[in-house]
Amino acid sequence: MKIGIDNEWYDLTKWARYHPGGERILERFDGHNATEHFYSLHSKKAVEQLKRMRPVDAKESVPEESKIDQAFRELRQQLKRDGWWERQYFWEFSLIGAIFAMVIAGTMLSYTHPIVAILLLSVAMQQAGWLGHDFVHGRDVPLHTALTRVVTGWINGFHRSWWSEKHNTHHVLTNHAQHDPDIDMQPVLFLWAPIKAVDHHLRKYQHYYFPLLYCLIYVSWRWQSLLWSLNRRDWNTFLFSQLPGYVWLAMMPWYVSLGSVLFGGFLVALVVTLSHETEEIVTGRITSFAENQFVCTKNIECPDWITEYLFGGMQYQLEHHLFPTLPRYKYRLLVPIVKQWARNNGLEYKAAPLTDMLVEHYQFLKKNGQLAARKDKVDKYAFQP
């Protein structure tokens, strides 16, 4: 398994099984230049580990990076020199404080004011998801590892390693058919015309029932996280990170716990789906890292401070995909710089108001629900785990 980084080939065959992002990413980049993909996600420690490895000799040279990625590297290096990656712990602990305030209030009100409790706990779970997501990306901050256990483990039941592997694949192979698990939801939702083997008669109604499915996203992620722990016999994570959260949920009325998980998942699903699902699906090639993000990502313009807070910085999805390890509370300030860089390099910066994107998403699902099924025997678009 030979991957090109910084104009050198590295044989990562033996390392692949230990790769925190999973083997799948490395297999996909076998024989390709992955320089910008590598630096976008990896910590200083990972970069140092790579530099200690000895490059391998090969007859063929590493494929040259696109001009777009070369220009993007200059932008990223300039932002680093300007201190954009420096964390502001006042904001981080303020976000944590708000989450636990909602958790405590929602728990105390769960028996007397269940509707209020569900709303508070749903927003707390959603915000815990955004914050834990930020912490998993922020690998250079040791405190984040400990906080992830509490924020995403206790509150949402997520396994850090499961999330890291799934999410990193989405980041470096955004909207890549057969590789990005975030765009394939067949046979419950169809983002393209399916083959007959996976089609069903309810597809034509998917623009009506999709909100119900989005409520189940946290249920699905919790279940996958539990299976990850149990299948790998990771009892430490199960006992000390996941189990406490389920004990907490069991202490409240079942309808409050279930309602919180369902509505919290729905709030997250809105952001996750609107930013990518209606954009281009990439097939059969490794594209420029930066160009891939511009083609497959659209920002959500939130109309007020309430949605601005609820969307947790992830409405600036393009900035996040370009700089995933950057603190998310800095994305809003980065928008003018990215827009100017896009103009200078002939790239389209896509963004639309929340209401427009909701309408577009509804129409997109309706259109794909009415397409005729394909006769192919193998679905070239489907995710192959």
Side-chain angles (χ1 to χ4, degrees):
M1 193 179 298
K2 188 175 58 177
I3 296 176
I5 301 175
D6 289 332
N7 295 317
E8 299 281 3
W9 287 114
Y10 291 90
D11 185 355
L12 303 179
T13 305
K14 294 181 180 180
W15 163 249
R17 60 181 296 188
Y18 305 106
H19 183 224
E23 293 185 51
R24 184 171 189 81
I25 298 178
L26 301 183
E27 292 171 353
R28 176 62 169 157
F29 281 92
D30 186 18
H32 293 273
N33 190 330
T35 301
E36 288 310 308
H37 302 80
F38 172 78
Y39 283 110
S40 72
L41 285 169
H42 288 81
S43 64
K44 293 178 182 178
K45 180 180 179 181
V47 173
E48 292 171 358
Q49 287 178 322
L50 178 76
K51 297 305 181 182
R52 289 197 294 267
M53 296 180 67
R54 179 178 298 178
V56 298
D57 295 326
K59 295 181 179 179
E60 67 276 11
S61 58
V62 176
E64 186 178 1
E65 282 188 302
S66 69
K67 292 183 179 180
I68 292 293
D69 276 356
Q70 292 175 18
F72 177 72
R73 179 185 295 192
E74 294 176 4
L75 172 64
R76 177 169 48 79
Q77 291 174 342
Q78 182 60 53
L79 291 174
K80 281 188 175 293
R81 288 192 293 269
D82 293 342
W84 280 81
W85 271 260
E86 294 176 5
R87 296 255 166 192
Q88 297 173 353
Y89 289 99
F90 169 78
W91 289 110
E92 296 196 2
F93 284 104
S94 295
L95 292 169
I96 294 174
I99 290 170
F100 279 99
M102 287 185 284
V103 167
I104 293 170
T107 303
M108 294 177 64
L109 295 171
S110 61
Y111 281 92
T112 58
H113 298 80
I115 301 300
V116 176
I118 288 174
L119 292 176
L120 287 171
L121 294 174
S122 297
V123 175
M125 289 179 180
Q126 181 217 35
Q127 293 300 310
W130 296 147
L131 194 62
H133 164 269
D134 198 30
F135 287 170
V136 171
H137 279 305
R139 293 179 178 85
D140 285 322
V141 183
L143 179 62
H144 288 173
T145 301
L147 289 174
T148 300
R149 178 186 293 271
V150 176
V151 175
T152 60
W154 291 4
I155 297 177
N156 283 332
F158 299 159
H159 193 296
R160 178 190 176 98
S161 297
W162 163 79
W163 174 253
S164 180
E165 179 171 327
K166 172 184 180 297
H167 193 60
N168 287 341
T169 303
H170 165 66
H171 263 278
V172 298
L173 297 170
T174 308
N175 278 29
H176 280 236
Q178 298 187 335
H179 299 281
D180 183 355
D182 281 17
I183 62 169
D184 181 48
M185 291 176 285
Q186 297 185 48
V188 292
L189 280 181
F190 298 83
L191 307 185
W192 50 78
I195 62 174
K196 291 185 177 181
V198 297
D199 197 12
H200 62 69
H201 67 283
L202 294 178
R203 174 165 62 96
K204 59 185 176 182
Y205 303 113
Q206 66 178 5
H207 55 296
Y208 294 129
Y209 66 70
F210 78 90
L212 297 177
L213 293 177
Y214 289 173
C215 289
L216 298 175
I217 191 169
Y218 265 5
V219 176
S220 173
W221 290 357
R222 281 174 173 270
W223 178 246
Q224 291 179 66
S225 292
L226 283 174
L227 290 180
W228 184 279
S229 296
L230 297 176
N231 290 339
R232 288 162 177 75
R233 300 179 183 276
D234 185 358
W235 307 124
N236 183 282
T237 299
F238 175 73
L239 292 174
F240 299 106
S241 183
Q242 294 171 310
L243 187 59
Y246 286 101
V247 173
W248 164 59
L249 291 177
M251 294 171 60
M252 296 183 291
W254 68 269
Y255 47 86
V256 171
S257 298
L258 180 60
S260 302
V261 172
L262 294 178
F263 190 52
F266 176 76
L267 293 175
V268 167
L270 282 179
V271 184
V272 173
T273 56
L274 294 181
S275 299
H276 297 290
E277 286 187 0
T278 59
E279 304 309 306
E280 181 179 327
I281 304 296
V282 181
T283 58
R285 68 188 189 278
I286 294 287
T287 58
S288 153
F289 170 77
E291 186 176 5
N292 183 197
Q293 309 311 329
F294 277 90
V295 169
C296 299
T297 309
K298 180 186 288 187
N299 280 5
I300 305 169
E301 297 174 355
C302 295
D304 51 65
W305 68 268
I306 296 177
T307 49
E308 184 80 8
Y309 172 74
L310 285 177
F311 280 31
M314 293 299 99
Q315 65 269 39
Y316 307 108
Q317 191 72 192
L318 176 58
E319 285 72 21
H320 171 60
H321 266 254
L322 292 171
F323 309 102
T325 58
L326 190 76
R328 65 189 173 109
Y329 42 80
K330 294 190 177 184
Y331 290 142
R332 182 175 61 85
L333 302 175
L334 190 61
V335 169
I337 296 175
V338 174
K339 282 186 175 180
Q340 183 60 53
W341 185 85
R343 286 193 292 268
N344 294 344
N345 289 275
L347 295 171
E348 180 186 4
Y349 185 102
K350 293 183 290 187
L354 174 59
T355 51
D356 291 357
M357 292 188 70
L358 287 169
V359 171
E360 180 185 9
H361 187 64
Y362 172 87
Q363 294 174 341
F364 178 79
L365 291 176
K366 182 178 181 180
K367 180 193 72 173
N368 282 286
Q370 297 170 346
L371 294 175
R374 293 181 286 114
K375 297 181 180 180
D376 306 11
K377 293 184 178 180
V378 177
D379 188 355
K380 68 177 181 178
Y381 293 101
F383 175 65
Q384 305 294 328

